[in-house]
Amino acid sequence: MSPAKPSPDKREAIFCATIKLLAKYGFHGFSIKQLAEEAGVATGTIYLYFKDREDLIRELNTQIINDFVKASLEGHDPQLPLKQQYQHICFNIWQFCIENSCITHCKAQFDHLPPDVLRSQHSHAWDGLQPLKHLFEQGRKTQKIKNLPDDILISFSIEPYLYLARQHLLDIIKVDSEQLTHIIDASWDAIAGPASKNTNGQFPQE
Amino acid sequence: MSPAKPSPDKREAIFCATIKLLAKYGFHGFSIKQLAEEAGVATGTIYLYFKDREDLIRELNTQIINDFVKASLEGHDPQLPLKQQYQHICFNIWQFCIENSCITHCKAQFDHLPPDVLRSQHSHAWDGLQPLKHLFEQGRKTQKIKNLPDDILISFSIEPYLYLARQHLLDIIKVDSEQLTHIIDASWDAIAGPASKNTNGQFPQE
DNA sequence: ATATTATGAATGAACGTTCATTCATAATAA
DNA sequence: TTATTATGAATGAACGTTCATTCATAATAT
C-alpha cells in the first residue's frame, strides 16, 4: 500500500480526516487517536507533520480560509456591472459550501477560537478578498451600494449563505436553484442603493 | 457563601457560570471542575442538578433559546405596520445580543451539536417565534415581503445580527446606534417587496 | 431523629504527547 | 550486479495529565 517515501500528501490526508471528523463531531469528540485511525496513520505520525493539536487546527483553519476565498473569487471579472460581479461571487460561495459540506460545517467551528486568533483570521481573510473590497468601494462611490462599512455589507453577503448552506446540508431546509436566485437577489437588495433615507420618520442621512 | 441551603437558584448559578466559561473558552477548555469553582459549588453538587455534562449543556441550550426568543418579541405589537414590527424585533435582537455578550458567544457554539439535536432545537425555536411567522406570512400575502420561505427570510433577519454582534463584542468591528438603524433598514430591504423579477435583465430598481 | 442537600477526595477512563524501535528504501561499496 | 550500510518516515505502547463522575461523609433543615 504505502511505501516509505518522504511524504507529499500524507499531510493532506491528515487535513482531510480532520475536516471530516471536525464536521461530524465538532471539537469535542475529536481526538488524535480517532484522527489517526481516520487518516490511516499512526498517532505519532501526526506529530511529524504538526507541532501539536493546536497547530494542526490553526493550519487547517488557514487553509480553509484560503480555499474559501479562492473559490469565492473564481472567475471574478471586474469589468462586469457591479451587480453581476456580486451575483457571481455569491453563487461561488454557495457552490463552494454545498460542494464542500465538511468544510462548511467545520468553518463555523472556527468562529470560536480565541479572540486574538479570530482577529488575525479576520484580517487575513480580508486580504484575500481585496476584489470584493474594491467592488464595495466602487459601489459606494457610485451610490449603487449603501454607504456602510465592508464588515456590515459582508453580514448580508456571506453570512446568510453560510447559514443557509449549513441548514441545507443538514436537511433542515432545502434550497433549489430557483430559490438561490431569489436569495442572491434579496442579498443584493440588502446592500444595494444608498443607505435608505427614512427609517421611520427621521432625517435623511445626508 | 451560603453553606448548605435547600437551593432555589443554585441551579441558576451553575447555568450562569456555564455560560460565562463557555463564552470564554468554548467547549474545550471547559471542565466541570472549573465550572464548580466559577459557580461557587462543589463538583458533586453539579450532579444534583444535572444528570451529566451533556444534560447540562442541552438544558442550557434550551434556556438560551427561550430567553432569546422571548427577548426578540418583547413589546411586539401585531397592530403596527409590518415594517415597524420588523424593525422592533430586529432592534430587540441586537439589544439582547449586546447586553448578553456571554450568551451571544455561547449561542454560536451550540450550532454544532449533533444534527438531531439541531433539528429539534430549530423547530423548538420556531414554535416560540410564531408572531414572527405571522408577520412573514402577512407580509407575503400583501406583497410587502418577498415570497420566500421563513428560513430564508430568517437568514437575513437574525443571522446577520448574531454575526455582527459577535464581531462588535470582540472589538473586530464597531457598530453605533446610527449604523444599527441602517443595518435594520438594509435587512428590511433584503426581505421587502415581492421576490424580484429580473435578476440580470435590469429594470430600474425602484 | 430523620431527611435533605452539599461536599470534595477518590477513581478510572480517555486524552495529547513522546520516543525507542522498526523497516522499506537510498546510498555506497565490492 | 550484489552485498552492506545509512536514512528517516512510520509506528504504537507507554507516560503523565486531565477529565467527568461517584460516593462516603458532613452539614443543615425539619
Side-chain angles (χ1 to χ4, degrees):
Chain A
M1 281 289 113
S2 49
K5 277 277 196 70
S7 50
D9 47 12
K10 193 153 282 190
R11 191 186 150 99
E12 197 56 37
I14 294 171
F15 262 154
C16 193
T18 306
I19 292 173
K20 227 184 250 177
L21 290 176
L22 228 49
K24 202 166 183 179
Y25 303 110
F27 277 127
H28 35 154
F30 160 78
S31 72
I32 297 289
K33 208 170 188 174
Q34 218 180 352
L35 171 59
E37 195 178 348
E38 177 77 31
V41 300
T43 56
T45 308
I46 291 164
Y47 292 85
L48 296 177
Y49 295 93
F50 302 96
K51 202 183 129 282
D52 54 22
R53 196 184 127 108
E54 213 187 313
D55 179 52
L56 162 64
I57 285 170
R58 246 202 334 270
E59 296 257 334
L60 178 65
N61 183 17
T62 303
Q63 200 199 278
I64 284 181
I65 289 178
N66 288 342
D67 291 352
F68 180 87
V69 165
K70 195 182 157 206
S72 308
L73 298 173
E74 177 146 316
H76 175 69
D77 178 1
Q79 308 293 4
L80 292 174
L82 286 192
K83 185 176 175 184
Q84 269 180 51
Q85 285 182 45
Y86 180 76
Q87 289 172 322
H88 186 81
I89 290 174
C90 289
F91 182 79
N92 279 345
I93 291 173
W94 178 260
Q95 190 88 342
F96 180 81
C97 288
I98 296 307
E99 284 174 2
N100 300 274
S101 66
C102 288
I103 291 183
T104 302
H105 290 304
C106 262
K107 213 180 159 314
Q109 309 257 7
F110 294 131
D111 290 349
H112 309 283
L113 297 174
D116 55 312
V117 178
L118 282 182
R119 263 183 282 271
S120 87
Q121 164 189 316
H122 181 83
S123 72
H124 174 72
W126 268 120
D127 286 346
L129 285 171
Q130 212 78 6
L132 185 57
K133 263 181 119 88
H134 284 137
L135 194 164
F136 285 157
E137 187 53 37
Q138 242 189 294
R140 279 187 294 252
K141 269 190 194 138
T142 58
Q143 306 229 32
K144 291 217 159 72
I145 290 180
K146 293 189 175 81
N147 187 25
L148 291 169
D150 290 337
D151 284 300
I152 291 176
L153 297 177
I154 275 293
S155 74
F156 295 108
S157 307
I158 294 188
E159 288 307 311
Y161 297 98
L162 292 178
Y163 169 79
L164 288 171
R166 272 202 313 272
Q167 309 275 345
H168 178 88
L169 291 169
L170 285 169
D171 272 323
I172 291 177
I173 64 175
K174 273 301 161 190
V175 177
D176 59 36
S177 71
E178 195 202 319
Q179 279 176 327
L180 178 59
T181 309
H182 294 313
I183 291 167
I184 294 178
D185 286 339
S187 120
W188 173 258
D189 287 347
I191 69 167
S196 54
K197 270 130 203 167
N198 47 340
T199 295
N200 254 332
Q202 282 98 321
F203 252 65
Q205 164 70 353
E206 321 176 318
Chain B
M1 282 306 105
S2 49
K5 282 273 195 67
S7 53
D9 46 14
K10 194 155 282 192
R11 190 186 151 100
E12 197 57 36
I14 294 171
F15 262 155
C16 193
T18 306
I19 292 172
K20 226 184 254 176
L21 291 177
L22 226 47
K24 202 166 182 179
Y25 303 110
F27 277 126
H28 36 157
F30 158 79
S31 73
I32 298 289
K33 202 171 189 176
Q34 217 179 353
L35 171 59
E37 194 179 348
E38 178 77 31
V41 300
T43 56
T45 308
I46 291 163
Y47 291 86
L48 297 175
Y49 294 91
F50 302 96
K51 200 182 130 286
D52 55 22
R53 196 184 127 108
E54 212 188 314
D55 179 52
L56 162 65
I57 285 170
R58 246 204 332 271
E59 297 257 334
L60 178 66
N61 184 16
T62 304
Q63 199 198 278
I64 284 180
I65 289 178
N66 289 343
D67 291 352
F68 180 87
V69 165
K70 195 181 156 205
S72 308
L73 298 173
E74 178 145 316
H76 175 70
D77 179 0
Q79 307 293 3
L80 293 174
L82 285 193
K83 185 176 175 183
Q84 268 179 53
Q85 285 181 47
Y86 180 76
Q87 289 172 322
H88 186 81
I89 290 173
C90 289
F91 182 79
N92 278 344
I93 291 173
W94 179 261
Q95 190 90 339
F96 179 82
C97 287
I98 296 307
E99 284 173 2
N100 300 275
S101 67
C102 288
I103 291 183
T104 302
H105 290 304
C106 262
K107 212 178 160 313
Q109 308 257 6
F110 295 131
D111 290 349
H112 308 284
L113 297 173
D116 56 311
V117 177
L118 283 182
R119 263 183 283 270
S120 88
Q121 162 188 318
H122 180 84
S123 72
H124 174 72
W126 268 119
D127 286 347
L129 285 171
Q130 212 79 5
L132 184 57
K133 262 180 120 85
H134 285 136
L135 194 165
F136 285 156
E137 187 52 37
Q138 242 188 295
R140 279 188 294 253
K141 268 189 195 142
T142 58
Q143 305 230 31
K144 290 215 160 70
I145 290 180
K146 294 189 176 81
N147 187 26
L148 290 169
D150 290 337
D151 284 300
I152 291 177
L153 297 177
I154 275 293
S155 75
F156 295 108
S157 307
I158 295 188
E159 289 306 311
Y161 297 97
L162 292 179
Y163 169 78
L164 288 171
R166 274 203 311 273
Q167 309 275 343
H168 178 87
L169 291 169
L170 285 169
D171 272 323
I172 291 178
I173 64 175
K174 273 299 162 191
V175 176
D176 58 37
S177 71
E178 195 203 319
Q179 279 176 328
L180 178 59
T181 309
H182 293 313
I183 291 167
I184 294 177
D185 287 340
S187 120
W188 172 259
D189 287 346
I191 69 168
S196 55
K197 271 133 202 164
N198 46 339
T199 294
N200 254 334
Q202 271 90 343
F203 258 60
Q205 177 69 349
E206 316 181 319

